[in-house]
Amino acid sequence: MKKLIPLLFLLPSIFCFGQTHEAQTTIKAENIYELSIIRLYPDSFPNVSVIFQAKNRFGKPLWTLDKSEMTVTENEKLCAVTGLKNISENKPLNIGLVFDHSGSMVDNPAQMPKGVETMQYDYFSGIPFPKNYTMAIDYAKEGVSGFLEETKDSRDSILFVGFSSTVDQVFPLTNDIKEIDAFVNRVLPAGSTAYYDALYLSIDLLSKNYSKAVVVALTDGQDNASAHTVREVIAFARQKKIGIYVIGLGNVDESPLKELSDSTGGFYYYTNNPETLKEIYLNIKAQIKSIYQLDYTSASLDFLETNRDIRFVFT
């Protein structure tokens, strides 16, 4: 079995006794897997707990980690690994699905007829589409349906927030997958893009419940109708500790979308082909259920030491 050696450098002063810390860190293993630290708990020092997520460069989670395969060192001193467990697989999760049904979701970049920039005029005028043409919104609905199918046997609950010029299609948090799927399939393309407003409302609604929550948010264009800004959304998500998993489709401004996911502990996906949306939704469903807790005993008894070079090695 090939050995992958990821390196993790935690920032100074992460081990202050009696406090809980969030570490802005990322570790990579030969570009195969990425381990992202979500939170670090040194409260019971020298016993330390690290919450992390493992995924490859395509966003696929790593499921097979076992305590016997993990090695941890602090400042080159070997630490005893006392436990490793998946802490998200069987825990209920509240998931907000933010869904773009603006007019541009009529367009399918992968199937656009030659010389045609948009199919919106045909759609809103009632002109029949070319044979075999499928709107992006239909593939998006298929992706959501696949996501819901993966959810039906779990204790997870789903909030649906659809937006165009305003946030106009909201199905309250529920575990009635059949009802919410039927609601999604009735949503039609129309209007502009109030993406940030939809995100803000989703975070607000999810934060009123006690379960861990994340947002999975699809958009195919640049926000042009929101009252809220991307900075406000990021600040609100961080305050409520809600990660945002962003799906960008087609002609999007990737910079704010990546910032949304990176700043909130989520992940960013981009595709120019709506047919891949179902796979992306399924990847995200698996990814948000792949969070581990690693427990180890520090090799140093000096909890006032502020700089520590922590390294994970796994096979």
Side-chain angles (χ1 to χ4, degrees):
M1 183 179 295
K2 185 176 182 180
K3 198 170 194 178
L4 308 179
I5 305 178
L7 304 181
L8 169 64
F9 299 91
L10 294 183
L11 297 176
S13 302
I14 60 170
F15 281 173
C16 294
F17 185 79
Q19 298 182 22
T20 299
H21 295 265
E22 296 183 20
Q24 301 293 325
T25 57
T26 299
I27 51 183
K28 295 185 178 181
E30 298 179 11
N31 292 323
I32 297 177
Y33 282 100
E34 178 180 284
L35 273 65
S36 299
I37 302 300
I38 298 171
R39 194 158 292 131
L40 184 142
Y41 296 93
D43 306 65
S44 300
F45 186 86
N47 298 316
V48 180
S49 296
V50 182
I51 309 300
F52 71 92
Q53 187 175 48
K55 56 184 179 287
N56 69 9
R57 61 193 176 95
F58 301 109
K60 283 284 190 178
L62 179 61
W63 294 104
T64 56
L65 285 177
D66 183 81
K67 184 180 78 169
S68 63
E69 300 170 331
M70 299 292 298
T71 301
V72 178
T73 61
E74 276 188 17
N75 297 336
E76 301 183 351
K77 295 180 180 179
L78 186 65
C79 301
V81 177
T82 58
L84 180 70
K85 59 183 176 182
N86 185 308
I87 62 173
S88 62
E89 186 174 6
N90 297 313
K91 286 191 175 182
L93 192 66
N94 290 337
I95 305 169
L97 294 180
V98 172
F99 189 85
D100 189 339
H101 72 95
S102 59
S104 55
M105 289 294 285
V106 167
D107 295 330
N108 182 341
Q111 295 182 7
M112 199 66 69
K114 188 175 181 179
V116 176
E117 292 185 2
T118 178
M119 299 297 292
Q120 293 181 58
Y121 177 80
D122 290 13
Y123 175 80
F124 293 113
S125 301
I127 300 173
F129 286 149
K131 186 178 180 181
N132 299 324
Y133 181 87
T134 303
M135 294 187 296
I137 195 171
D138 292 326
Y139 284 116
K141 290 178 180 180
E142 183 181 335
V144 169
S145 292
F147 189 99
L148 296 173
E149 179 69 20
E150 290 293 311
T151 304
K152 69 178 184 180
D153 294 327
S154 70
R155 293 181 293 157
D156 297 342
S157 295
I158 302 293
L159 164 73
F160 180 82
V161 176
F163 68 92
S164 54
S165 299
T166 61
V167 184
D168 55 0
Q169 301 289 334
V170 178
F171 198 101
L173 195 67
T174 182
N175 53 17
D176 189 335
I177 300 305
K178 185 176 180 181
E179 283 295 319
I180 199 168
D181 195 24
F183 181 85
V184 172
N185 278 291
R186 292 194 293 269
V187 174
L188 298 175
S192 303
T193 305
Y195 185 54
Y196 301 146
D197 284 355
L199 286 172
Y200 199 93
L201 178 63
S202 299
I203 295 164
D204 185 44
L205 294 175
L206 290 170
S207 67
K208 299 182 187 303
N209 295 270
Y210 293 106
S211 295
K212 172 69 176 175
V214 298
V215 172
V216 180
L218 167 71
T219 185
D220 78 328
Q222 300 177 27
D223 191 299
N224 54 19
S226 286
H228 293 288
T229 67
V230 65
R231 298 292 182 189
E232 291 173 335
V233 172
I234 290 172
F236 196 33
R238 290 170 67 99
Q239 177 191 345
K240 300 299 183 181
K241 295 182 170 56
I242 295 177
I244 302 176
Y245 291 74
V246 177
I247 306 172
L249 170 66
N251 183 29
V252 295
D253 182 359
E254 292 196 282
S255 180
L257 301 186
K258 289 179 179 178
E259 187 178 6
L260 277 166
S261 58
D262 291 345
S263 300
T264 61
F267 197 81
Y268 173 70
Y269 287 83
Y270 173 79
T271 181
N272 198 43
N273 183 356
E275 293 184 44
T276 64
L277 287 173
K278 183 174 183 179
E279 180 182 358
I280 290 174
Y281 272 104
L282 293 177
N283 282 349
I284 293 175
K285 186 64 175 70
Q287 187 177 328
I288 60 181
K289 288 293 187 175
S290 62
I291 298 176
Y292 290 88
Q293 176 178 323
L294 176 96
D295 300 316
Y296 74 90
T297 302
S298 175
S300 171
L301 298 181
D302 182 8
F303 65 85
L304 295 178
E305 185 178 355
T306 56
N307 276 319
R308 292 172 189 263
D309 172 9
I310 303 176
R311 301 186 180 224
F312 289 70
V313 178
F314 65 94
T315 53

